[in-house]
Amino acid sequence: MQRYNLCFLGFGNVGRALARLFGTKAAELAQLYGIDCRITGVATRRLGWLWNAEGFKLETLIAGNMDQANIQQARDLGEWLEKAQPAAVLETTSLNVETGQPAINYLRASLQAGAHAITANKGAVVYGYEELTDLARRVGKRFLFESTVLDSAPVFSLFRECLPAVRLRGFDGVFNSTTNVILEAMETGRTFAEGVKAAQELGVTETDPSHDVEGWDSTVKVCALATVLMKTSVRPSDVRREGIRALDAQTLRQARAEGRPFKLVSRAKVAADGSVSASVRPEQLSATDPLSCVRGTSLAVHFELDMMPGLTIMSHRPNLQSTAYGLLADFINAIRGS
Amino acid sequence: MQRYNLCFLGFGNVGRALARLFGTKAAELAQLYGIDCRITGVATRRLGWLWNAEGFKLETLIAGNMDQANIQQARDLGEWLEKAQPAAVLETTSLNVETGQPAINYLRASLQAGAHAITANKGAVVYGYEELTDLARRVGKRFLFESTVLDSAPVFSLFRECLPAVRLRGFDGVFNSTTNVILEAMETGRTFAEGVKAAQELGVTETDPSHDVEGWDSTVKVCALATVLMKTSVRPSDVRREGIRALDAQTLRQARAEGRPFKLVSRAKVAADGSVSASVRPEQLSATDPLSCVRGTSLAVHFELDMMPGLTIMSHRPNLQSTAYGLLADFINAIRGS
């Protein structure tokens, strides 16, 4: 058995779900991988840089009770890492669409402090993939981010481990739950506003749904996938982006009745010269397109490979636990050297 | 750069496609993994146990020309392995539904001779998984079989590498191209016989389609998946099996018109007591079932996991090259220690 200290940078819904997972999966982690974990650092904007070298009491931590013995406050990230001594930092701070900061700074510091850097932050991948991957290699640690696109359905680990020597020619996908729920609501006669409400009730969208509706969430995901899998830096400004606001209910209903529904499709393709073109826009799918099968909050990506005519991965009804699992899977893979 | 000898046991369509792949992917194998391969053994029932310590000339081998210099005939499997000195044996002999032989004997001998054992043979997995996996572990080699179920869309490697500490509760899938093509032909007004012909023309079925039509191919695949992923030996006699012959065209057409098509569904579930129940039978799918999206020769499997509500993997229009790629991916993973 080997003991590992964990630091949680960010402790919102996903962070708490992940902490819970480390509890419920403790026996399997021990039995299957000889892993014994304790959380020695939790940092949030509100609480600051909290640490406890002996490990936080998990139950009270998840309940939000920070009134535990031996919790100390570090003055900054640097001291926090130094005191908490993490084997891995699990980073779940808010997305910054323009710079990926401060997540990138956090992850860089974590690697430099000798910890694996594991994140759910798409921005860190889009703007920091090359730098953080190089740094990770140099310090002998891992920079992993499975939860960033399909909420834990494997895509990055899939290519890394299961598809060696394959060339990715293109992909298309449905990457945003909110817009899919809105479109399906309008297909059944409800209004756009009612669709937004339905998505909010399902817990997949923010109070201001613009980020999803204008296609920004999908755009950042396309950039993350293309940057990593096509080995070409693709930024949001490179993506031809169009949200769903212009679609009218009548058109959507008619399309669905024909079995050829509209979806907000994220797409990227490698041209003959190796350059990458990417778009996020409403598209009407053919009846046989695997993406036409995506329902409700589910997500999917379809890959076109030189070695396979087509490979589709679908993640059904992703929830906080499945998103948290992506981070846990990354942690296990970092530790066991995958 | 490291040099590896390869032995091909069986050299039919898949074997030749794989040999071709080692040629076309030679540059990537060298550049990405430092791998340099040569085929030093080819064995078929018709030709016997051929070997050439210097390596067969690839082009003429693929063309079926065995009239090359320095080809020698070993008297049996044992001498063949000893002379050809393989780092890996790529086994693509015919399926035996009842015993998995002689494939299991071939793979056992390969491992004992110090070679990785890589197969496309479902029977070897169903009847030999435990024994060959244990033996592989003891001799420090790998026993891998990605091509056996979804033709190369990762399922075994997916669980092994990308889904650590996950519990599989059940799966269902469409595992047979022939029956899917037949059912879709009948849905559009053609006869069963015309559907069989269409499947044969697509190259996915044997002259006698009974193996597919009676559900045997799907049954063996269910057994392979359940045995490995649910860690419980499931044999064909444990599977409740029903083929597609009883389905009439009218029923199929009506079902498709309602958007709720019939498919030959392969299913396995883990009960509360840990036992596994499995079936292969025609089922009418709901309109939102991801399997209802499977078209033509495509295959799919849907997993129900404790960590994810649902994960679907779809392999579109699998062909000889994609099946061969599964074996190549296994070889690369065996070599790089994944």
Side-chain angles (χ1 to χ4, degrees):
Chain A
M1 288 286 286
Q2 187 103 0
R3 169 164 268 174
Y4 299 93
N5 288 347
L6 306 174
C7 272
F8 278 58
L9 223 163
F11 203 64
N13 286 333
V14 175
R16 279 198 299 274
L18 180 58
R20 202 174 288 122
L21 257 194
F22 271 103
T24 54
K25 285 285 178 178
E28 280 167 81
L29 287 174
Q31 184 194 345
L32 295 171
Y33 308 108
I35 287 174
D36 170 29
C37 291
R38 64 184 174 185
I39 298 175
T40 55
V42 174
T44 73
R45 260 189 312 233
R46 191 168 57 85
L47 299 168
W49 307 93
L50 306 181
W51 63 277
N52 180 343
E54 303 308 307
F56 288 76
K57 277 193 179 50
L58 197 57
E59 283 312 315
T60 46
L61 180 66
I62 290 163
N65 184 352
M66 297 303 180
D67 190 23
Q68 306 177 14
N70 298 327
I71 293 183
Q72 304 191 59
Q73 176 90 240
R75 68 177 171 276
D76 55 27
L77 170 64
E79 190 192 6
W80 185 67
L81 290 170
E82 190 199 330
K83 291 291 192 331
Q85 291 282 299
V89 173
L90 301 147
E91 198 273 333
T92 58
T93 64
S94 307
L95 169 67
N96 177 307
V97 176
E98 277 123 35
T99 65
Q101 294 289 17
I104 295 176
N105 288 342
Y106 294 157
L107 296 163
R108 185 192 303 115
S110 302
L111 289 166
Q112 286 166 340
H116 297 294
I118 296 163
T119 185
N121 201 301
K122 307 182 268 288
V125 180
V126 172
Y127 297 102
Y129 171 67
E130 267 206 59
E131 179 209 335
L132 294 171
T133 301
D134 281 350
L135 173 58
R137 192 179 302 123
R138 276 184 280 122
V139 301
K141 298 293 170 184
R142 303 301 299 279
F143 168 51
L144 300 170
F145 37 83
E146 201 58 54
S147 291
T148 54
V149 176
L150 236 59
D151 275 323
S152 80
V155 289
F156 297 112
S157 56
L158 185 77
F159 274 81
R160 203 174 63 227
E161 309 296 339
C162 309
L163 298 173
V166 105
R167 287 178 189 271
L168 177 60
R169 291 188 168 143
F171 65 80
D172 54 308
V174 173
F175 294 157
N176 182 259
S177 297
T178 298
T179 43
N180 208 43
V181 168
I182 293 172
L183 291 176
E184 287 190 0
M186 291 172 75
E187 283 169 358
T188 61
R190 283 179 284 172
T191 65
F192 179 90
E194 285 169 327
V196 171
K197 193 163 187 296
Q200 287 166 336
E201 278 160 12
L202 285 164
V204 296
T205 188
E206 307 296 319
T207 318
D208 173 9
S210 304
H211 182 72
D212 298 316
V213 165
E214 301 297 346
W216 283 110
D217 178 66
S218 297
T219 292
V220 182
K221 287 182 173 182
V222 161
C223 291
L225 263 188
T227 296
V228 177
L229 299 184
M230 294 171 167
K231 307 183 184 354
T232 303
S233 175
V234 179
R235 297 289 170 92
S237 53
D238 300 321
V239 178
R240 172 182 163 196
R241 180 185 56 83
E242 184 190 332
I244 64 165
R245 287 194 193 275
L247 295 167
D248 70 284
Q250 166 102 337
T251 306
L252 294 171
R253 272 201 306 273
Q254 180 63 27
R256 171 63 70 181
E258 290 167 10
R260 300 174 52 235
F262 276 86
K263 292 205 178 294
L264 185 65
V265 177
S266 303
R267 198 179 278 283
K269 201 158 173 69
V270 183
D273 65 358
S275 63
V276 173
S277 63
S279 65
V280 169
R281 39 188 282 271
E283 294 185 21
Q284 184 168 18
L285 301 174
S286 78
T288 54
D289 190 319
L291 297 185
S292 64
C293 243
V294 177
R295 297 296 213 158
T297 56
S298 301
L299 305 177
V301 60
H302 177 78
F303 295 108
E304 196 194 318
L305 309 164
D306 66 337
M307 291 284 98
M308 272 179 243
L311 174 65
T312 311
I313 312 292
M314 265 190 216
S315 171
H316 296 267
R317 302 179 304 288
N319 53 31
L320 284 176
Q321 181 178 264
S322 56
T323 304
Y325 172 73
L327 291 142
L328 175 65
D330 277 342
F331 169 72
I332 295 171
N333 279 336
I335 296 304
R336 64 175 178 163
S338 271
Chain B
M1 286 287 285
Q2 189 104 359
R3 170 163 267 175
Y4 299 93
N5 290 348
L6 306 173
C7 273
F8 278 58
L9 223 163
F11 204 64
N13 285 332
V14 175
R16 278 197 300 275
L18 180 59
R20 201 173 290 122
L21 256 195
F22 271 103
T24 55
K25 286 286 179 179
E28 280 168 82
L29 287 174
Q31 183 192 347
L32 295 172
Y33 307 108
I35 288 173
D36 170 29
C37 290
R38 61 184 176 187
I39 301 174
T40 55
V42 175
T44 72
R45 259 188 313 233
R46 190 169 59 85
L47 300 168
W49 306 95
L50 305 182
W51 63 276
N52 178 344
E54 304 308 307
F56 287 76
K57 278 192 177 50
L58 196 57
E59 284 311 316
T60 44
L61 180 67
I62 291 164
N65 184 352
M66 297 304 180
D67 190 24
Q68 305 177 16
N70 298 326
I71 293 183
Q72 304 191 59
Q73 176 88 241
R75 65 177 174 279
D76 56 26
L77 171 64
E79 190 193 5
W80 184 67
L81 290 170
E82 191 198 328
K83 290 292 191 332
Q85 291 282 297
V89 173
L90 301 148
E91 199 273 335
T92 58
T93 63
S94 306
L95 169 68
N96 177 308
V97 176
E98 277 122 35
T99 65
Q101 295 289 17
I104 295 176
N105 288 342
Y106 294 157
L107 295 163
R108 184 191 304 115
S110 302
L111 288 167
Q112 286 166 339
H116 297 294
I118 297 165
T119 186
N121 201 300
K122 304 181 269 287
V125 179
V126 171
Y127 296 103
Y129 171 68
E130 267 206 57
E131 180 210 334
L132 294 171
T133 300
D134 282 349
L135 173 57
R137 193 179 300 123
R138 276 184 280 122
V139 300
K141 297 292 168 184
R142 304 300 298 279
F143 168 51
L144 300 171
F145 36 84
E146 201 59 52
S147 289
T148 53
V149 176
L150 236 60
D151 274 323
S152 80
V155 290
F156 298 112
S157 56
L158 185 78
F159 274 81
R160 202 175 62 228
E161 308 296 340
C162 309
L163 297 173
V166 104
R167 288 179 188 270
L168 178 59
R169 292 186 168 145
F171 65 80
D172 55 308
V174 174
F175 295 156
N176 182 259
S177 297
T178 298
T179 42
N180 208 44
V181 168
I182 293 172
L183 290 177
E184 286 189 359
M186 291 172 74
E187 283 169 356
T188 61
R190 284 180 284 172
T191 65
F192 178 89
E194 286 170 325
V196 171
K197 193 161 186 296
Q200 286 166 335
E201 278 161 12
L202 284 164
V204 296
T205 188
E206 306 297 316
T207 318
D208 173 8
S210 303
H211 182 73
D212 298 316
V213 165
E214 302 296 346
W216 283 111
D217 178 64
S218 297
T219 293
V220 181
K221 287 182 174 182
V222 162
C223 291
L225 262 187
T227 296
V228 177
L229 298 184
M230 294 172 167
K231 307 186 186 350
T232 304
S233 175
V234 178
R235 296 288 168 93
S237 53
D238 301 321
V239 179
R240 171 182 163 198
R241 180 185 54 84
E242 184 190 332
I244 64 166
R245 285 193 195 275
L247 295 168
D248 70 284
Q250 165 103 337
T251 306
L252 293 171
R253 271 200 307 273
Q254 180 63 27
R256 171 62 70 183
E258 289 166 9
R260 300 175 52 234
F262 276 86
K263 291 206 179 292
L264 185 66
V265 178
S266 303
R267 199 179 276 284
K269 203 160 173 66
V270 182
D273 65 359
S275 63
V276 174
S277 63
S279 64
V280 169
R281 39 189 281 274
E283 294 184 22
Q284 185 169 16
L285 301 174
S286 79
T288 54
D289 190 318
L291 297 184
S292 64
C293 245
V294 177
R295 297 296 213 157
T297 56
S298 300
L299 306 176
V301 60
H302 178 79
F303 295 108
E304 195 192 320
L305 309 164
D306 67 336
M307 292 285 98
M308 273 179 244
L311 175 64
T312 311
I313 311 292
M314 264 190 218
S315 172
H316 296 267
R317 302 181 304 288
N319 52 31
L320 285 175
Q321 179 177 265
S322 56
T323 305
Y325 173 73
L327 292 141
L328 175 64
D330 277 342
F331 169 71
I332 295 170
N333 278 337
I335 295 304
R336 63 176 179 163
S338 274

